[in-house]
Amino acid sequence: MSNSSTSDLLKPFKLKTKQQELLIRVSILCLVYILAFITRLFSVLRYESMIHEFDPYFNYRTTLYLTQHGFYDFWNWFDYESWYPLGRIVGGTLYPGLMVTAALIYRLLHFLRFAVHIREVCVLTAPFFASNTTLVAYFFGKEIWDSGAGLVAAILIAVCPGYISRSVAGSYDNEGVAIFALLFTFYLFVKAVNTGSLAWGLASAFGYFYMVSAWGGYVFIINLIPLYVLVLLITGRYSMRLYVAYNCMYILGMLLAMQIRFVGFQHVQSGEHMAAMGVFFLMQVFYFLDWVKHMLSDTKLFQEFLRITVTCAIAAGGIALGVGMASGYISPWTGRFYSLLDPTYAKDHIPIIASVSEHQPTAWSSFMFDFHILLFLFPAGLYFCFKRLSDATIFIVMYGLTSMYFAGVMVRLILVATPAVCLISAIAVSATVKNLTVLLRSKNKVAQIGSTKGTSSAKASSKASLDQSQPFQKNGAMALLFGAFYLLSRYATHCTWVTSEAYSSPSIVLAARGAHGNRVIFDDYREAYFWLWQNTPPDAKVMSWWDYGYQITAMGNRTVIVDNNTWNNTHIATVGRAMSSYEDEAYEIIRSLDVDYVLVVFGGVTGYSSDDINKFLWMVRIGGGVFPVIKEPDYLVNGEYRIDKGAAPKMLNCLMYKLSYYRFGEMMTEYGKPPGYDRARGVEIGNKNIKLEHLEEAFTTSNWIVRIYKVKPPNNRW
Amino acid sequence: MARTSSSKENAQALFHSLRSAYAATPVNLKIIDLYVGFAVFTALIQVLSLIFRNPFSLPHFYYLEDPQVVYMASVGSFPFNSFLSGVLSCVGTAVLAVCLRIQVNKENKEFKDLPPERAFADFVLCNLVLHLVIMNFLG
């Protein structure tokens, strides 16, 4: 009696297997979504909710402008507060996707009566989109392999350090949104190729449009997809679905992409986009020939026709390409992307690109740091993909291989490789775990079949014999499963540790351990910018190295001479020349630029090693690249860069040296060392009696990290 | 002599067999083909009309013989966004119509589950988006 009543009670809760599976999947995805968000919140919990680094400050400032002035003013904005006296056409030189996204989220939240500040929205945009990326990874994995692989892909990409590095809370940069757009576009395209539907092709065109609006890395998409189409055409795996998908995406995507002012007409004029156009025309010819072949029954005639058409097509294409490139109408590959193909190009020709630390080639330690076990799961996944080749797996294999090549060339591009590596590794994990669990379950089933059926079939007998020949198969499978789960748990631990230690520092606020192990916070940057904001006239112009330009305009709200956009090399070289000249020559340059304040970053007191003295040689190189009067050997002694007594005389008297070490000669920085001991370089400085003639010290922050000097007006004539 | 005549015969035989094979296609597909042909023809006219603008009616200035000037005068396409939107709208509708033809053609086994109404609806939607973007791009 009670039995039936309890079973009656439990009846509504008893789920069928399919429903149970659905429940498990949905709950896993929800947990992964939340996990991806909260693992990126370390810096918000430790410091405060602020924007990190340099580039995000520009994005924050433009988003602020967008929310305050509306889209039309934003789209047509001319910024006169940066690159004085040139100004910058902001509306036409940025990728608006990130700002528009954040502004839309802000509007939505305000519509729902959550009165948040735009800065909070900006800080948390990247983690939000990282969570969305895990969902896209699930659907993509489901498309390529099965839902199990999708789930593993979602969890792998939720915590992978390669992605976390550019999408922590506070890192309000294009990549945070762009990786979501990249994976989304690829998923929609693979779906379009698999279904052959125009609707999915249209969706992938919109995905591509979002990607173009978000990041300059869209060039990867517009080259990978034609390459994929080419591979399918060559290997004979083409189909009508491919035609529909690629053409719809290419034409509509190209048209939509040209609406972004920054991209403009590059899709028809730039060498980097010509592969897509070439494949488009090739496809038309290819499918036309296919259609003619289908209509003609006689193969000999068709061969003739084929010969004529192919020669005409190749001739026409060759002529068009040749004329285009020779007349300069089709521009060659720009420096940024050419240096991916030839990594030594930037060092010799474009020092600004070579000087960025993220553009250096990747070391193995970086790979291990950012990928951990995915490094060896990647080849395993490639093996599984090759075992079951389909349109979708060919795509993910190509994406993985090309992105890994580029990740090897430039550290920054590990980010682009991360989704591919996670997906392929997920295939490996899912397939392995599936095989092992099948092994675990199969022996019981075969034993049952063997016992119930009197005369066993050949299959069952062979299976039974197989099982009997490997008596510890079940135990081996169990051990391997435990090993796999152990590895995955180590991966999760490693990723959380990496996120906590390496990728959660705001860069604008520095932390260190004091003498007694307590945490010491250096908030000098914001102190200096706040001082600038409050103690200088509103139209003051500040000269500093280009690294700090965005932060000065965003937080200090003052006009700067050069900033991180680095679009005008000569202007930067002028600043570099001023910093590396003697004070008199520098004063002339400073006066010609109407500068009121000069800002330098100095790490000698705290041991902060990313200061201007360590970047000084790049200033010399960039300045010397445009003004031959600045020669790098003048600042070196026997090819060595020194700032102590044995340093070159030009080094000891240049403006940067004077501004960094003014009054530093009397400073005791470390116990037991002489005064004027530079903790970042580890030596005692050479020139301690520094007198400034044309500049005077205006402000030095509490830990001497940022030093601001006021430019004195010229002396009265007698 | 024999070579050219045999190739001429080949060309004629090719032409005839193509014609007879094409006559066998259903009427609705032929309509779509007509539309595609018209769109491609319009695109070609737009491109060629820019290349073959008449420079001969201009008076005889010496600087016109400068190759740079000659090039710019002949292939001038100001404003470029309007030219591009014109060409791309023609190419776009041609391509979308070909996609429709592929999806509606009963001989394609990959699309036998796709109802033709759905194919047409997709075609209309994509054309709508195409022309909205073209109108924005036209300037």
Side-chain angles (χ1 to χ4, degrees):
Chain A
M1 220 28 200
S2 55
N3 246 354
S4 61
S5 64
T6 45
S7 60
D8 281 338
L9 270 175
L10 283 175
K11 245 209 176 109
F13 293 111
K14 210 163 158 53
L15 298 167
K16 296 194 281 269
T17 320
K18 244 197 156 75
Q19 289 172 325
Q20 281 178 347
E21 197 208 337
L22 183 65
L23 181 66
I24 293 178
R25 263 195 282 148
V26 169
S27 54
I28 289 179
L29 278 178
C30 284
L31 287 174
V32 167
Y33 194 89
I34 298 174
L35 172 69
F37 192 84
I38 60 179
T39 190
R40 288 163 164 84
L41 293 180
F42 275 106
S43 69
V44 173
L45 295 171
R46 285 180 185 162
Y47 302 95
E48 61 178 88
S49 159
M50 66 178 138
I51 313 267
H52 297 357
E53 301 236 335
F54 302 109
D55 279 354
Y57 273 99
F58 171 70
N59 298 330
Y60 171 62
R61 186 165 157 250
T62 48
T63 316
L64 198 59
Y65 190 89
L66 173 60
T67 51
Q68 283 169 349
H69 295 101
F71 186 70
Y72 186 75
D73 284 335
F74 168 76
W75 199 235
N76 295 305
W77 183 20
F78 181 82
D79 184 24
Y80 51 84
E81 278 194 1
S82 58
W83 293 91
Y84 185 86
L86 306 166
R88 177 184 172 183
I89 310 171
V90 178
T93 56
L94 54 53
Y95 287 105
L98 177 68
M99 296 89 187
V100 171
T101 309
L104 281 176
I105 297 177
Y106 172 79
R107 287 270 160 77
L108 178 68
L109 287 173
H110 271 252
F111 178 71
L112 297 172
R113 301 291 178 260
F114 290 110
V116 293
H117 190 268
I118 183 69
R119 195 189 63 236
E120 316 301 337
V121 174
C122 291
V123 165
L124 293 176
T125 298
F128 174 60
F129 273 91
S131 302
N132 295 341
T133 308
T134 61
L135 287 184
V136 177
Y138 165 68
F139 285 111
F140 202 179
K142 199 164 132 181
E143 192 67 28
I144 296 175
W145 200 256
D146 63 16
S147 61
L151 285 173
V152 180
I155 180 63
L156 286 180
I157 203 170
V159 285
C160 190
Y163 184 26
I164 289 188
S165 63
R166 303 292 297 202
S167 66
V168 282
S171 171
Y172 182 55
D173 211 353
N174 298 56
E175 288 93 343
V177 177
I179 295 298
F180 167 74
L182 180 86
L183 205 58
F184 196 46
T185 309
F186 282 151
Y187 164 63
L188 291 172
F189 181 69
V190 170
K191 193 86 183 171
V193 172
N194 274 345
T195 57
S197 140
L198 267 177
W200 283 109
L202 178 67
S204 73
F206 274 116
Y208 177 64
F209 170 56
Y210 187 46
M211 178 71 191
V212 170
S213 73
W215 195 33
Y218 73 88
V219 176
F220 181 63
I221 298 188
I222 201 65
N223 281 311
L224 179 64
I225 290 188
L227 193 64
Y228 167 68
V229 168
L230 201 62
V231 164
L232 284 187
L233 286 179
I234 290 176
T235 56
R237 285 178 175 272
Y238 59 91
S239 61
M240 289 301 168
R241 297 172 280 122
L242 181 68
Y243 182 85
V244 172
Y246 180 68
N247 279 313
C248 183
M249 190 216 171
Y250 178 62
I251 294 290
L252 288 173
M254 177 164 78
L255 266 174
L256 284 167
M258 289 202 274
Q259 309 308 308
I260 309 286
R261 280 170 64 189
F262 195 24
V263 172
F265 301 125
Q266 279 183 4
H267 277 75
V268 291
Q269 285 179 343
S270 156
E272 295 148 9
H273 303 74
M274 284 299 116
M277 192 182 279
V279 168
F280 174 68
F281 284 121
L282 177 71
M283 236 189 166
Q284 309 306 318
V285 171
F286 205 89
Y287 279 82
F288 178 66
L289 288 173
D290 210 42
W291 180 54
V292 168
K293 183 175 176 183
H294 171 74
M295 280 213 305
L296 284 180
S297 44
D298 191 345
T299 46
K300 200 165 70 77
L301 279 176
F302 174 66
Q303 296 289 348
E304 189 74 28
F305 182 71
L306 178 71
R307 217 163 40 89
I308 301 171
T309 322
V310 166
T311 35
C312 287
I314 291 180
I319 289 177
L321 191 68
V323 165
M325 298 221 66
S327 65
Y329 189 71
I330 298 179
S331 60
W333 282 56
T334 57
R336 268 181 79 181
F337 297 110
Y338 189 73
S339 60
L340 288 177
L341 297 177
D342 177 14
T344 58
Y345 178 76
K347 189 95 205 284
D348 301 325
H349 297 266
I350 318 173
I352 280 195
I353 296 180
S355 72
V356 182
S357 64
E358 303 169 311
H359 293 180
Q360 308 308 317
T362 323
W364 271 110
S365 54
S366 299
F367 273 119
M368 189 62 192
F369 198 62
D370 281 339
F371 286 139
H372 203 238
I373 59 166
L374 303 184
L375 266 187
F376 64 80
L377 286 178
F378 180 70
L382 283 180
Y383 163 73
F384 279 110
C385 285
F386 274 108
K387 265 181 75 175
R388 201 212 285 188
L389 274 182
S390 68
D391 289 344
T393 48
I394 292 183
F395 181 80
I396 198 67
V397 163
M398 285 191 64
Y399 175 26
L401 291 175
T402 48
S403 60
M404 279 305 262
Y405 167 71
F406 289 123
V409 173
M410 209 187 254
V411 170
R412 191 177 177 186
L413 296 178
I414 283 188
L415 175 71
V416 176
T418 301
V421 170
C422 287
L423 278 165
I424 294 181
S425 311
I427 292 176
V429 170
S430 173
T432 311
V433 168
K434 216 172 201 174
N435 289 341
L436 288 174
T437 46
V438 159
L439 276 179
L440 275 180
R441 288 176 160 198
S442 69
K443 197 166 176 210
N444 295 333
K445 266 195 190 161
V446 172
Q448 278 179 356
I449 295 172
S451 61
T452 48
K453 286 191 186 166
T455 50
S456 45
S457 59
K459 261 196 206 164
S461 66
S462 65
K463 250 195 187 161
S465 63
L466 204 68
D467 284 332
Q468 280 168 2
S469 64
Q470 299 165 32
F472 292 108
Q473 199 177 34
K474 193 174 168 194
N475 294 342
M478 187 79 83
L480 282 176
L481 257 173
F482 272 125
F485 289 142
Y486 172 71
L487 274 179
L488 287 172
S489 65
R490 292 302 304 164
Y491 170 73
T493 320
H494 168 86
C495 292
T496 318
W497 174 80
V498 164
T499 312
S500 160
E501 289 299 314
Y503 290 139
S504 297
S505 77
S507 297
I508 192 168
V509 170
L510 313 161
R513 294 272 162 211
H516 306 283
N518 56 326
R519 208 160 68 119
V520 178
I521 304 267
F522 301 122
D523 207 0
D524 289 44
Y525 281 103
R526 296 197 293 174
E527 191 186 336
Y529 302 138
F530 203 61
W531 182 91
L532 263 183
W533 181 44
Q534 287 198 323
N535 296 296
T536 57
D539 61 349
K541 288 131 199 107
V542 180
M543 179 173 98
S544 70
W545 192 234
W546 59 261
D547 283 359
Y548 318 108
Y550 281 155
Q551 285 179 344
I552 296 176
T553 34
M555 279 192 275
N557 213 11
R558 294 286 174 267
T559 311
V560 288
I561 306 292
V562 287
D563 67 17
N564 307 57
N565 191 30
T566 65
W567 66 269
N568 191 335
N569 195 32
T570 312
H571 218 49
I572 297 182
T574 312
V575 172
R577 179 185 175 190
M579 295 295 196
S580 14
S581 312
Y582 293 121
E583 198 184 341
D584 295 325
E585 301 158 7
Y587 185 64
E588 276 175 34
I589 301 176
I590 286 176
R591 292 288 304 158
S592 78
L593 288 172
D594 280 352
V595 174
D596 299 309
Y597 291 90
V598 181
L599 185 147
V600 295
V601 170
F602 172 59
V605 173
T606 49
Y608 177 53
S609 56
S610 304
D611 63 351
D612 281 354
I613 289 286
N614 275 345
K615 292 179 194 166
F616 182 62
L617 273 185
W618 284 110
M619 297 187 202
V620 170
R621 281 179 197 138
I622 293 174
V626 177
F627 301 105
V629 66
I630 306 283
K631 300 189 232 339
E632 192 181 337
D634 288 345
Y635 300 87
L636 305 172
V637 174
N638 293 334
E640 209 184 304
Y641 180 58
R642 296 169 68 166
I643 46 126
D644 54 0
K645 273 206 168 30
K650 183 131 198 213
M651 180 72 212
L652 290 175
N653 288 301
C654 67
L655 185 69
M656 176 55 72
Y657 189 94
K658 282 187 167 181
L659 294 183
S660 295
Y661 293 118
Y662 182 66
R663 285 192 310 114
F664 186 64
E666 310 121 26
M667 183 95 172
M668 288 285 289
T669 51
E670 213 169 288
Y671 182 68
K673 294 278 196 292
Y677 179 76
D678 184 344
R679 286 177 75 186
R681 262 65 55 180
V683 291
E684 188 187 343
I685 62 171
N687 184 2
K688 291 189 192 177
N689 294 327
I690 296 179
K691 301 256 178 305
L692 288 174
E693 194 186 329
H694 299 288
L695 298 140
E696 60 183 3
E697 189 179 2
F699 182 66
T700 299
T701 56
S702 51
N703 295 301
W704 286 53
I705 291 188
V706 182
R707 310 193 68 182
I708 303 179
Y709 293 84
K710 187 168 157 58
V711 176
K712 290 201 280 205
N715 294 325
N716 286 329
R717 297 170 195 250
W718 328 89
Chain B
M1 196 60 194
R3 189 97 183 275
T4 48
S5 65
S6 74
S7 70
K8 201 173 163 191
E9 279 174 15
N10 268 344
Q12 279 202 347
L14 184 75
F15 187 64
H16 280 309
S17 75
L18 270 176
R19 213 170 154 183
S20 58
Y22 188 67
T25 57
V27 177
N28 55 351
L29 294 182
K30 277 192 196 156
I31 294 178
I32 298 178
D33 288 338
L34 192 64
Y35 179 68
V36 171
F38 170 67
V40 172
F41 175 65
T42 316
L44 276 176
I45 286 187
Q46 287 188 18
V47 172
L48 290 176
S49 75
L50 274 169
I51 294 181
F52 293 114
R53 279 200 336 205
N54 195 355
F56 304 112
S57 60
L58 296 161
H60 186 78
F61 290 120
Y62 283 112
Y63 71 81
L64 280 180
E65 274 145 14
D66 176 21
Q68 175 77 10
V69 175
V70 169
Y71 170 72
M72 285 307 291
S74 62
V75 197
S77 51
F78 180 79
F80 193 59
N81 55 330
S82 308
F83 163 69
L84 209 57
S85 62
V87 171
L88 280 178
S89 72
C90 295
V91 173
T93 53
V95 157
L96 286 175
V98 173
C99 292
L100 175 68
R101 187 190 196 277
I102 288 173
Q103 287 183 336
V104 163
N105 197 355
K106 291 191 186 35
E107 294 173 12
N108 281 331
K109 287 174 207 46
E110 289 164 349
F111 289 107
K112 65 176 163 56
D113 295 331
L114 190 71
E117 288 82 14
R118 163 83 197 269
F120 187 67
D122 283 345
F123 171 72
V124 166
L125 179 69
C126 288
N127 263 327
L128 192 68
V129 170
L130 176 76
H131 286 99
L132 278 174
V133 178
I134 292 288
M135 283 201 295
N136 183 36
F137 198 38
L138 214 48

